[in-house]
Amino acid sequence: MGKDEQILESKILRPGPVTGLSLQVSPTKRAITIPIDEIRGVAKLIKPGDRIDIVAALDVGKGRNRKKEVKTIMQDVVILATGLRVSNELPRLYTEAGKSGYITNLRADVSFTNVTIETSPKQAQNLVYILATAPGSLFITLRHPSDHARKVLGSTDVYKVLGKVAPSMMRNQTRKPARTRGR
């Protein structure tokens, strides 16, 4: 804009791909992007500003003791962006094709394959570990906007899903107590 030029809405930049994401990240937090699809990402019915939990399905143990465990690893996480969509009210993205520009409606955009979330540095490090070792093991669950409760949840395995006792627990329960001498 030039000096004494009238301020028009078309001259105002809104938060989005052009302005960047860094100002959306809270101090002491980090932004990290995780891949999603329709199954792992709530059918892509999420948008910036939504709050989610992140659940991981990981292999634990070695050899015969190896099993799959599922654990909610993060709760009440803010989605900063879905693909290039940063603001939840961003109606359009100005894209230059050669010298002319065109408007793309982002309200109905479900072509994104990742979401960017806000985490602590330690949570970001844990996510990088999971993404490096088991990238398809992360799942997103969507929360109600006013639900900020965090609950301690134990991990889940096949025995807990079926309501059965794990064989290793059964061996411990069936052992006879040691006899005491001299009484």
Side-chain angles (χ1 to χ4, degrees), residues 72-99:
T72 300
I73 59 169
M74 296 173 63
Q75 296 181 36
D76 198 27
V77 177
V78 176
I79 293 181
L80 297 173
T82 56
L84 291 178
R85 186 174 170 198
V86 176
S87 173
N88 62 358
E89 291 301 319
L90 187 66
R92 60 187 184 260
L93 168 65
Y94 183 79
T95 307
E96 290 192 27
K99 292 193 176 194

Short mmCIF file of all heavy atoms in Angstrom, two decimals, residues 72-99:
data_model
loop_
_atom_site.label_atom_id
_atom_site.label_comp_id
_atom_site.label_asym_id
_atom_site.label_seq_id
_atom_site.Cartn_x
_atom_site.Cartn_y
_atom_site.Cartn_z
N THR A 72 -3.43 -43.73 24.48
CA THR A 72 -3.63 -42.30 24.20
C THR A 72 -2.38 -41.59 24.71
O THR A 72 -2.11 -41.58 25.90
CB THR A 72 -4.89 -41.76 24.90
OG1 THR A 72 -6.02 -42.49 24.41
CG2 THR A 72 -5.07 -40.28 24.63
N ILE A 73 -1.62 -41.03 23.77
CA ILE A 73 -0.33 -40.44 24.14
C ILE A 73 -0.39 -38.92 24.32
O ILE A 73 0.48 -38.34 24.95
CB ILE A 73 0.78 -40.81 23.14
CG1 ILE A 73 0.43 -40.33 21.73
CG2 ILE A 73 1.05 -42.30 23.17
CD1 ILE A 73 1.58 -40.44 20.75
N MET A 74 -1.42 -38.28 23.76
CA MET A 74 -1.58 -36.84 23.90
C MET A 74 -3.07 -36.52 23.98
O MET A 74 -3.86 -37.12 23.27
CB MET A 74 -0.94 -36.10 22.73
CG MET A 74 0.55 -36.28 22.63
SD MET A 74 1.27 -35.56 21.13
CE MET A 74 0.91 -33.85 21.36
N GLN A 75 -3.42 -35.56 24.83
CA GLN A 75 -4.81 -35.17 24.98
C GLN A 75 -4.96 -33.66 24.85
O GLN A 75 -4.07 -32.90 25.23
CB GLN A 75 -5.36 -35.61 26.35
CG GLN A 75 -5.38 -37.11 26.53
CD GLN A 75 -5.95 -37.51 27.88
OE1 GLN A 75 -6.87 -36.88 28.40
NE2 GLN A 75 -5.40 -38.57 28.46
N ASP A 76 -6.11 -33.25 24.32
CA ASP A 76 -6.47 -31.82 24.20
C ASP A 76 -5.43 -31.04 23.40
O ASP A 76 -4.94 -30.01 23.82
CB ASP A 76 -6.66 -31.21 25.59
CG ASP A 76 -7.45 -29.91 25.53
OD1 ASP A 76 -8.26 -29.73 24.60
OD2 ASP A 76 -7.26 -29.07 26.43
N VAL A 77 -5.11 -31.55 22.23
CA VAL A 77 -4.11 -30.97 21.34
C VAL A 77 -4.81 -30.06 20.33
O VAL A 77 -5.82 -30.43 19.76
CB VAL A 77 -3.34 -32.08 20.60
CG1 VAL A 77 -2.34 -31.50 19.63
CG2 VAL A 77 -2.67 -33.02 21.59
N VAL A 78 -4.26 -28.89 20.09
CA VAL A 78 -4.83 -27.93 19.15
C VAL A 78 -4.32 -28.20 17.75
O VAL A 78 -3.11 -28.36 17.54
CB VAL A 78 -4.47 -26.49 19.55
CG1 VAL A 78 -4.99 -25.48 18.52
CG2 VAL A 78 -5.01 -26.15 20.92
N ILE A 79 -5.24 -28.25 16.79
CA ILE A 79 -4.85 -28.34 15.38
C ILE A 79 -4.58 -26.93 14.88
O ILE A 79 -5.46 -26.07 14.92
CB ILE A 79 -5.94 -29.02 14.54
CG1 ILE A 79 -6.08 -30.47 14.94
CG2 ILE A 79 -5.62 -28.90 13.05
CD1 ILE A 79 -7.10 -31.25 14.15
N LEU A 80 -3.37 -26.69 14.42
CA LEU A 80 -2.99 -25.39 13.89
C LEU A 80 -3.31 -25.27 12.40
O LEU A 80 -3.64 -24.20 11.93
CB LEU A 80 -1.50 -25.14 14.11
CG LEU A 80 -1.02 -25.07 15.56
CD1 LEU A 80 0.49 -25.00 15.62
CD2 LEU A 80 -1.66 -23.90 16.28
N ALA A 81 -3.18 -26.39 11.68
CA ALA A 81 -3.40 -26.35 10.23
C ALA A 81 -3.78 -27.73 9.73
O ALA A 81 -3.39 -28.74 10.29
CB ALA A 81 -2.14 -25.87 9.51
N THR A 82 -4.58 -27.74 8.66
CA THR A 82 -4.86 -28.96 7.92
C THR A 82 -4.35 -28.72 6.52
O THR A 82 -4.87 -27.88 5.80
CB THR A 82 -6.38 -29.27 7.90
OG1 THR A 82 -7.08 -28.15 7.36
CG2 THR A 82 -6.89 -29.58 9.29
N GLY A 83 -3.28 -29.43 6.14
CA GLY A 83 -2.63 -29.14 4.87
C GLY A 83 -2.12 -27.71 4.92
O GLY A 83 -1.41 -27.32 5.83
N LEU A 84 -2.53 -26.88 3.94
CA LEU A 84 -2.13 -25.47 3.91
C LEU A 84 -3.13 -24.56 4.60
O LEU A 84 -2.91 -23.36 4.71
CB LEU A 84 -1.96 -25.01 2.46
CG LEU A 84 -0.79 -25.61 1.71
CD1 LEU A 84 -0.78 -25.11 0.27
CD2 LEU A 84 0.53 -25.29 2.39
N ARG A 85 -4.22 -25.09 5.07
CA ARG A 85 -5.27 -24.29 5.70
C ARG A 85 -4.89 -24.00 7.14
O ARG A 85 -4.85 -24.89 7.98
CB ARG A 85 -6.59 -25.05 5.62
CG ARG A 85 -7.76 -24.27 6.10
CD ARG A 85 -9.02 -25.07 5.86
NE ARG A 85 -10.14 -24.44 6.53
CZ ARG A 85 -11.26 -25.03 6.78
NH1 ARG A 85 -11.45 -26.28 6.42
NH2 ARG A 85 -12.22 -24.40 7.39
N VAL A 86 -4.62 -22.73 7.42
CA VAL A 86 -4.14 -22.33 8.73
C VAL A 86 -5.26 -21.78 9.59
O VAL A 86 -5.41 -22.16 10.74
CB VAL A 86 -3.01 -21.29 8.61
CG1 VAL A 86 -2.58 -20.80 9.97
CG2 VAL A 86 -1.83 -21.89 7.85
N SER A 87 -6.07 -20.91 9.07
CA SER A 87 -7.13 -20.27 9.84
C SER A 87 -8.44 -20.97 9.56
O SER A 87 -8.75 -21.32 8.43
CB SER A 87 -7.24 -18.79 9.45
OG SER A 87 -8.36 -18.21 10.06
N ASN A 88 -9.26 -21.17 10.62
CA ASN A 88 -10.51 -21.88 10.41
C ASN A 88 -11.56 -21.04 9.70
O ASN A 88 -12.62 -21.53 9.37
CB ASN A 88 -11.05 -22.43 11.72
CG ASN A 88 -11.37 -21.36 12.73
OD1 ASN A 88 -11.16 -20.18 12.49
ND2 ASN A 88 -11.87 -21.77 13.87
N GLU A 89 -11.28 -19.80 9.43
CA GLU A 89 -12.21 -18.96 8.67
C GLU A 89 -11.61 -18.46 7.37
O GLU A 89 -12.09 -17.51 6.78
CB GLU A 89 -12.66 -17.76 9.53
CG GLU A 89 -13.54 -18.14 10.70
CD GLU A 89 -14.81 -18.87 10.26
OE1 GLU A 89 -15.44 -18.48 9.25
OE2 GLU A 89 -15.18 -19.84 10.94
N LEU A 90 -10.55 -19.07 6.93
CA LEU A 90 -9.89 -18.63 5.70
C LEU A 90 -10.73 -19.03 4.49
O LEU A 90 -10.85 -20.20 4.18
CB LEU A 90 -8.50 -19.28 5.60
CG LEU A 90 -7.61 -18.81 4.47
CD1 LEU A 90 -7.22 -17.35 4.66
CD2 LEU A 90 -6.36 -19.66 4.40
N PRO A 91 -11.36 -18.07 3.81
CA PRO A 91 -12.27 -18.42 2.73
C PRO A 91 -11.59 -18.71 1.41
O PRO A 91 -12.17 -19.35 0.56
CB PRO A 91 -13.15 -17.19 2.60
CG PRO A 91 -12.27 -16.07 3.05
CD PRO A 91 -11.35 -16.65 4.09
N ARG A 92 -10.37 -18.25 1.21
CA ARG A 92 -9.76 -18.43 -0.10
C ARG A 92 -8.24 -18.33 0.01
O ARG A 92 -7.70 -17.77 0.96
CB ARG A 92 -10.27 -17.37 -1.07
CG ARG A 92 -9.98 -15.97 -0.61
CD ARG A 92 -10.66 -14.94 -1.50
NE ARG A 92 -10.28 -13.63 -1.09
CZ ARG A 92 -11.02 -12.84 -0.34
NH1 ARG A 92 -12.19 -13.21 0.05
NH2 ARG A 92 -10.60 -11.65 -0.01
N LEU A 93 -7.60 -18.86 -0.96
CA LEU A 93 -6.15 -18.79 -1.06
C LEU A 93 -5.81 -18.19 -2.41
O LEU A 93 -6.27 -18.66 -3.44
CB LEU A 93 -5.54 -20.21 -0.96
CG LEU A 93 -4.07 -20.37 -1.31
CD1 LEU A 93 -3.21 -19.60 -0.32
CD2 LEU A 93 -3.69 -21.84 -1.30
N TYR A 94 -5.03 -17.13 -2.40
CA TYR A 94 -4.64 -16.50 -3.64
C TYR A 94 -3.43 -17.24 -4.17
O TYR A 94 -2.40 -17.34 -3.52
CB TYR A 94 -4.29 -15.02 -3.42
CG TYR A 94 -3.95 -14.31 -4.69
CD1 TYR A 94 -4.94 -13.88 -5.56
CD2 TYR A 94 -2.63 -14.09 -5.03
CE1 TYR A 94 -4.62 -13.23 -6.73
CE2 TYR A 94 -2.30 -13.45 -6.21
CZ TYR A 94 -3.29 -13.01 -7.05
OH TYR A 94 -2.96 -12.38 -8.22
N THR A 95 -3.57 -17.84 -5.34
CA THR A 95 -2.49 -18.62 -5.94
C THR A 95 -2.10 -17.98 -7.25
O THR A 95 -2.96 -17.68 -8.07
CB THR A 95 -2.96 -20.06 -6.19
OG1 THR A 95 -3.50 -20.58 -4.98
CG2 THR A 95 -1.82 -20.93 -6.64
N GLU A 96 -0.83 -17.78 -7.43
CA GLU A 96 -0.39 -17.19 -8.69
C GLU A 96 -0.09 -18.28 -9.70
O GLU A 96 0.63 -19.21 -9.43
CB GLU A 96 0.85 -16.33 -8.46
CG GLU A 96 0.53 -15.06 -7.70
CD GLU A 96 1.66 -14.08 -7.73
OE1 GLU A 96 2.46 -14.10 -8.68
OE2 GLU A 96 1.74 -13.29 -6.79
N ALA A 97 -0.69 -18.15 -10.88
CA ALA A 97 -0.42 -19.04 -12.00
C ALA A 97 0.15 -18.15 -13.10
O ALA A 97 -0.57 -17.44 -13.77
CB ALA A 97 -1.69 -19.73 -12.46
N GLY A 98 1.45 -18.15 -13.24
CA GLY A 98 2.09 -17.20 -14.16
C GLY A 98 1.99 -15.81 -13.55
O GLY A 98 2.45 -15.59 -12.46
N LYS A 99 1.32 -14.88 -14.22
CA LYS A 99 1.16 -13.52 -13.69
C LYS A 99 -0.24 -13.27 -13.18
O LYS A 99 -0.48 -12.28 -12.52
CB LYS A 99 1.52 -12.51 -14.76
CG LYS A 99 2.99 -12.53 -15.08
CD LYS A 99 3.38 -11.33 -15.88
CE LYS A 99 4.88 -11.36 -16.09
NZ LYS A 99 5.42 -10.14 -16.55
#
